[in-house]
Each structure stands twice: as C-alpha cells, then as structure tokens.
Amino acid sequence: MSLHRRFRTAVAAAVVAATLGCSLGVAAGSDTRHVAAEPAVPSNGLAQLPPMGWNSWNHFAGRITAADVRGMADAMVATGMRDAGYTYVNIDDTWEGERDAAGHIRPNAKFGDMAALAAYVHARGLKLGLYSSPGAKTCAKFEGSFGHEDDDARTYAAWGVDFLKYDYCGATLLYPVTRENQEALFRRMGHALRNAGRPMVYSLSQSGEFDIWRWGPGTGANLWRTTPDISDTWASMSQRGFRQLELAAWSGPGHWNDPDMLEIGNGGMDTDEYRTQMSLWSMLPAPLLAGNDLRTMDAATRSILLNREVIAVDQDPAGRPARRLQKQGDVEVLARDMADGSVVVGFFNRGDASASVSFAWHRLGSGFAGTATVRDLWAHQSSPAGDAFHGDVPRHGVVLLRLSR
C-alpha cells in the first residue's frame, strides 16, 4: 500500500471511529487501533470440491437486480449448467439496503424479499450466495457487516443463503491494513456463520495480501482470493492463473486458492484464450464461477463452460493440484494426477505465435509410454498415446490431454 493511501486510510479511519464510537469496539487513534484477536474457527466441512456457479459482478457490477438473478437461475437450468455441476447463484455488492430499527440488514429496492429470491433459486435445484464486508461500508459504499456480524449471519441463514463472499475492502476505513486485523475480522464472521444455524460456504476477498493462503483456514473460510480483481484480458487472466502454481501446497479439499472468477463469454478475449482460462482453472484446481450473462451465451461460450470432460478435471475428488513439468519457450507443460490413476497434461502457449511442442510420455512415470490411451479433452477424441506428444499449440491456446494406462 502506498504512503498516500495509508494517509487517506488513517484519516478516514479517524472520521469513522468518531462517528461510530466505542460501542463498536473501535479504540481512539489511527496507528494504535487494532481488532481484538479472535480464536481460530474450525472447518465447516463444506466445499470438498472447488465451488462452481455464477457471480454477478463481472458482467452486471452495480446494475444487478432480483429479476436478473432469477433470469440467471433459469438460464443455468435451461442451458444445462446446473446439470454440469454449476450450483451457486451469487449476488455480489450493491444488494444491501438500510438496517431497520432493530439493526437487521434489509435488501434495497432492487431486491425486495430476499427469502423469496432464495426460495426461487432453491426451487430450481440451485443455491444462493450473497456478499458483504467486515467494514461499516462495502467497496461500493453499501451497508457492511461491521458490528453486526452475528445478526447478519443469522439473517442470511433465515433467508436461506448458502454462500457468503466477504470482501475486506470497506474495513480499510476502520483499521490499519495488517494481517492481524484482517485475520481477526475474517475469523469474527467465520464464528458468526458457524453459529448461524445453516451451512454456508465462506469465501474471502482481499487480493492475496499477507499470504492469506497460509492463514485462511483458521478463519473458517473455504476459499480465498489470491490475486487482485481479474479483468477480461489475456494479461490479467494469465498472470493470475499461472501464479497459482506457486501456491499449490496451500490448496485442497475444503480450502481452495481462488484466482478470481471466469471471464468466459464477456467478450474481451478470443475463444482460444477462454479455453485456456477454463483449462488452467480446472488444472489448478480453482473455483469455477462464471461471470457472463448466461441468457445470451453464444455457442462457443456454451461449449467452453459446459465441457464436462474439463469440468471433471476441476472436480476430481482427489483434489490434487497441478504441477509444472517444464517450460519450452512460451509453452508451459502442466500435469495433474487424477483419483483414477490417470494424468491430465496441459500444454499452455503463453506466446503470441503458434508453437510446436514435443513431450515424451515416460516423463509422467511408468505405464504411460507406448501402451496408454490419450483423450483430447477439447477435441473429444481418443487415440493410442504412443511414446510422445508432438503437436502445435495456438497462440494463447491450450492442448489438454488425459492419459490413462
């Protein structure tokens, strides 16, 4: 964080502290105020596989309404996404209204009856997710959960919410940005969710500060953002995705590294680049949260998001992460061991021109050279593996193969 931003944060924190007063546990002074430590939160046992679903932010941002959410739920059923494993319909920031006289959070006029919306989503075999912040305000300046964590968690449970994305952004106006403060505030909501009486997947968002992958499990969270916000460009997507290979040791069943949502179908990248995102996120493995308008998907977008052979890689029950085998020029060769003993190998071309690649299968271990079968997960074709792969990978593209002994 820059010195300028630290100064602005300290000034804003002093103003908020004076406004909110000590009833919320905010001590005076900008450099000495810290959140009281919270005990570690036990695992909730959820998200044994990377969560799959849809989130409103990438396409709708602050324009999202209850009608849009209903439309996305209907589209997830009609397109086959639900049956392919996409489960969560997640509303990001800007759903929040004011608190009532008793302090209970209420939706704003765009959403109305949140329990009715949850019932609509549940009736279609899907689950509903919401967004909040440990700050008094969210990133978009709507009502946050600070000082109301327990009540908000109980309210979400009463509505029928199944997933909470908790974004640290607004809390920068209350406290200095430290690991200790972030960890304590995330744990505070983790305890509140645990005591709310309804299972809710808990997702943290804070751009990967302070190596959150090392301490995220102690907050009770099931996934945590490891990067700044993604955008619909090759540079943004590839930088965030390939960086996850360095963090693989901290990701697995019930606790997943999250390089942010899918941009597939939003128009900023081409088909090869979107196939790369779907393949890379599945190899890592990472949560698969679509972020496009599901009602207007073209055939190419549907073919990527609904590729069940690639989804099966992401959802493999072993939950083992990908590893980098080698780098050939601009091509990165990644491998992931599957629960059934097969190995998925991805040839990812990060360069701006097509690339020719050769790779000997014996490097995967015994039993793969000569007698294995290879399945191309995008071409949906099987063939004898032979002794090696020889082929071309398009610019910014991928060849994704599954080898079975």
Side-chain angles (χ1 to χ4, degrees):
M1 178 185 290
S2 68
L3 288 176
H4 178 62
R5 184 178 173 191
R6 286 188 187 277
F7 174 77
R8 288 190 291 109
T9 298
V11 171
V15 173
V16 172
T19 301
L20 296 179
C22 294
S23 63
L24 295 185
V26 182
S30 60
D31 294 324
T32 59
R33 291 175 303 102
H34 298 285
V35 185
E38 297 273 352
V41 185
S43 170
N44 58 20
L46 303 175
Q48 292 302 297
L49 300 175
M52 294 177 61
W54 176 87
N55 179 284
S56 63
W57 190 259
N58 283 356
H59 181 81
F60 289 95
R63 303 185 310 276
I64 189 67
T65 68
D68 294 320
V69 174
R70 288 184 172 90
M72 293 307 114
D74 290 340
M76 286 175 74
V77 176
T79 61
M81 290 183 69
R82 179 198 62 189
D83 294 339
Y86 293 89
T87 300
Y88 294 96
V89 182
N90 292 347
I91 306 167
D92 213 280
D93 205 352
T94 77
W95 67 266
E96 308 89 344
E98 302 297 325
R99 295 187 180 277
D100 65 18
H104 306 315
I105 187 68
R106 292 292 176 255
N108 59 40
K110 296 190 301 176
F111 286 90
D113 188 339
M114 194 63 79
L117 181 58
Y120 188 95
V121 170
H122 292 159
R124 281 142 188 81
L126 300 166
K127 297 183 178 181
L128 184 72
L130 285 185
Y131 167 105
S132 190
S133 172
K137 296 294 182 182
T138 67
C139 286
K141 309 307 180 188
F142 286 71
E143 189 71 14
S145 290
F146 184 75
H148 298 273
E149 292 87 354
D150 289 321
D151 190 72
D152 283 0
R154 288 192 297 267
T155 299
Y156 303 154
W159 287 341
V161 172
D162 307 289
F163 185 114
L164 178 67
K165 176 181 175 181
Y166 208 48
D167 191 340
Y168 194 78
C169 181
T172 62
L173 299 179
L174 292 172
Y175 293 106
V177 180
T178 67
R179 168 184 163 168
E180 292 75 17
N181 286 344
Q182 290 194 1
E183 189 169 13
L185 288 173
F186 285 147
R187 285 183 176 189
R188 186 178 296 175
M189 180 55 86
H191 284 295
L193 293 175
R194 186 174 179 82
N195 296 327
R198 181 180 179 84
M200 282 180 263
V201 169
Y202 187 26
S203 170
L204 305 182
S205 180
Q206 53 77 287
S207 301
E209 295 171 327
F210 309 113
D211 294 351
I212 190 173
W213 44 88
R214 297 177 182 269
W215 49 269
T219 69
N222 303 105
L223 55 154
W224 38 80
R225 282 278 302 284
T226 56
T227 69
D229 289 354
I230 198 170
S231 59
D232 190 15
T233 67
W234 166 256
S236 174
M237 180 275 290
S238 61
Q239 289 166 4
R240 283 152 182 76
F242 286 102
R243 194 272 168 105
Q244 304 308 301
L245 295 168
E246 304 164 15
L247 312 178
W250 290 277
S251 191
H255 54 277
W256 304 100
N257 291 331
D258 178 11
D260 210 359
M261 297 167 285
L262 301 174
E263 289 283 6
I264 297 162
N266 282 329
M269 290 184 272
D270 63 31
T271 299
D272 282 327
E273 291 167 335
Y274 285 140
R275 285 197 192 106
T276 292
Q277 186 180 23
M278 187 71 177
S279 301
L280 180 55
W281 264 234
S282 295
M283 285 286 281
L284 291 172
L288 298 179
L289 296 174
N292 59 312
D293 189 336
L294 306 178
R295 300 166 299 188
T296 58
M297 289 191 292
D298 60 19
T301 300
R302 287 195 301 273
S303 71
I304 296 171
L305 289 175
L306 288 165
N307 186 331
R308 294 199 181 203
E309 295 191 74
V310 177
I311 290 171
V313 177
D314 183 80
Q315 298 288 291
D316 187 76
R320 300 185 187 108
R323 62 191 188 278
R324 183 185 279 111
L325 294 180
Q326 71 176 49
K327 194 172 185 298
Q328 295 184 21
D330 291 319
V331 177
E332 301 211 22
V333 184
L334 310 184
R336 186 174 172 207
D337 298 314
M338 300 286 102
D340 65 357
S342 65
V343 178
V344 177
V345 181
F347 300 92
F348 293 87
N349 182 3
R350 301 181 68 178
D352 292 329
S354 178
S356 296
V357 179
S358 295
F359 183 83
W361 295 132
H362 71 80
R363 298 188 57 188
L364 299 177
S366 61
F368 286 105
T371 60
T373 298
V374 62
R375 175 76 174 175
D376 188 317
L377 302 187
W378 286 109
H380 305 296
Q381 296 175 347
S382 298
S383 62
D387 291 327
F389 169 76
H390 304 284
D392 294 329
V393 186
R395 67 175 292 277
H396 297 181
V398 62
V399 173
L400 195 64
L401 306 175
R402 186 164 185 162
L403 279 85
S404 301
R405 293 181 178 91

